[in-house]
């Protein structure tokens, strides 16, 4: 197994957590976003979308972190990332997608760069944009947890899964941009409990070989 | 089964297609985005995320269209939206996520409204933003189809599935914003073949009772 990622990329961090939870060893390839290595001909030959991360398994390369998380869960079922029943699975996927479809796409590096380069956003403008979508998304995450009543120690019961895997890297991003978080106590409590687990703790950005 | 949606919402259209492909009858509830009905206390009681669409099945409400598409495929397996093998499923999900995580989140109505209300984007600025992310995303979609060599009549082989269900509503949006599409011939050919199917054709925005 091989993982192409970048230490600070939250979608790469999702996969580091997932691989650690599954107990899968892999070879890590660092692809620098600031140096634009994800747009190099070499990387585009692996992943024509030019996005991180890419997972290579049995000689095939896979793109899009949510698709890869589902792939890992299908191919390596233990421990499972999703509940057994269709209703529970839908709730967990919905929480994961609040992060993956409502927060992250608006706040990733290439969007922030485009706002600054093309639309003359200052650093302060960029940070206001970032915090706006983080707040919009985390409010939805917290509201869904309350509405579903699904959380135990983690987002769904007492086993970490797909929603936790997406949540934790997003909270790291939120902290990096000084986003206020006090309005999301249930979400933050789950974040804290995740970080008590080695799979979430040891895979965090600052411990990666390419961190700077 | 009940579906809360809006005629022009591309994520609602995804579910209309999906339900038609599965041959599932449902009661449709129109929720007007321009009239902000998705933020009404009545709708928030159904879906605390305040987003469209919501599907209600067996008395339970489900949020996030990708999660709902997976739920429908698990509960009502025929015809399947995903291939049988994990590798094929990952490719189809990856294509669906190019639409659902790379294009749609940047171009949906609340983002466009925020750009205009808070960042003083003119209508022309808004359209340039829209076309930028559409082009970025469709280039990735077309490149993935070419790289994987997975397409037949549809995105994966000769049966319409998850990727087609996400693609078609996005192309309707692209046409509404006059986005150039000639650079994506494989994608557009699939779009055309989808619209030959009743499930894609009859569910399009203009035929919905709430269309204006």
């Amino acid at each position: 197994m091989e993982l192409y990622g970048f230490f600070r990329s939250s979608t790469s961090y999702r996969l580091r957590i997932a691989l650690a939870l599954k107990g899968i060893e892999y070879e890590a390839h660092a692809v620098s976003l600031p140096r634009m290595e994800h747009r190099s001909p070499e990387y585009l030959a692996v992943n024509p979308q030019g996005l991180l991360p890419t997972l290579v398994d049995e000689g095939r390369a896979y793109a899009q972190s949510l698709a890869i998380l589902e792939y890992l869960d299908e191919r390596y079922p233990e421990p499972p990332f999703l509940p057994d029943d269709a209703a529970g699975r839908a709730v967990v996927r919905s929480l994961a997608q609040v992060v993956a479809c409502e927060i992250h796409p608006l706040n990733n590096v290439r969007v922030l760069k485009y706002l600054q380069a093309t639309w003359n956003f200052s650093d302060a403008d960029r940070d206001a944009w970032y915090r706006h979508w983080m707040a919009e998304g985390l409010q939805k995450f917290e509201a869904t947890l309350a509405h579903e009543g699904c959380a135990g120690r983690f987002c769904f019961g007492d086993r970490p899964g797909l929603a936790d895997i997406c949540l934790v890297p997003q909270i790291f991003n939120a902290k990096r941009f000084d986003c206020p978080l006090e309005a999301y106590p249930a979400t933050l409590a789950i974040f804290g409990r995740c970080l008590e687990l080695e799979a979430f703790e040891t895979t965090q950005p600052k411990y990666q070989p390419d961190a700077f």
Side-chain angles (χ1 to χ4, degrees), chain A residues 3 5 11 23 27 32 72 104 108 124 145 170 180:
Chain A
L3 176 64
T11 52
E27 183 182 354
S32 167
L72 284 171
H104 176 262
N108 71 36
L145 287 176
Q170 199 62 55

Side-chain angles (χ1 to χ4, degrees), chain A residues 14-157:
Chain A
R14 290 177 196 165
L15 295 197
R16 294 196 299 266
I17 297 166
L19 291 162
L21 284 169
K22 297 286 191 189
I24 298 172
E25 301 276 328
Y26 61 94
E27 183 182 354
H29 302 290
V31 179
S32 167
L33 292 180
R35 288 206 300 270
M36 297 294 285
E37 290 174 357
H38 57 301
R39 300 293 174 139
S40 68
E42 293 75 18
Y43 185 68
L44 288 171
V46 175
N47 181 337
Q49 296 180 15
L51 300 171
L52 292 178
T54 302
L55 185 83
V56 179
D57 188 28
E58 299 179 335
R60 276 195 75 154
Y62 296 98
Q64 290 290 336
S65 64
L66 280 188
I68 296 168
L69 291 168
E70 297 268 358
Y71 170 84
L72 284 171
D73 206 35
E74 292 180 358
R75 290 275 291 118
Y76 307 91
E78 292 301 326
F81 290 162
L82 290 165
D84 290 333
D85 63 307
R89 295 161 73 89
V91 170
V92 171
R93 287 188 175 117
S94 161
L95 284 164
Q97 289 163 24
V98 169
V99 173
C101 302
E102 308 298 338
I103 305 176
H104 176 262
L106 290 153
N107 282 354
N108 71 36
V109 171
R110 76 179 195 287
V111 174
L112 304 181
K113 277 190 176 174
Y114 178 64
L115 286 168
Q116 297 207 263
T118 303
W119 300 101
N120 301 313
F121 273 46
S122 67
D123 286 358
D125 293 342
R126 176 201 62 196
D127 292 354
W129 166 277
Y130 197 100
R131 291 175 193 137
H132 174 81
W133 295 115
M134 188 69 75
E136 282 274 311
L138 290 179
Q139 181 274 328
K140 290 170 175 53
F141 199 96
E142 184 85 3
T144 303
L145 287 176
H147 183 80
E148 297 290 345
C150 56
R153 288 185 52 75
F154 301 103
C155 286
F156 192 93

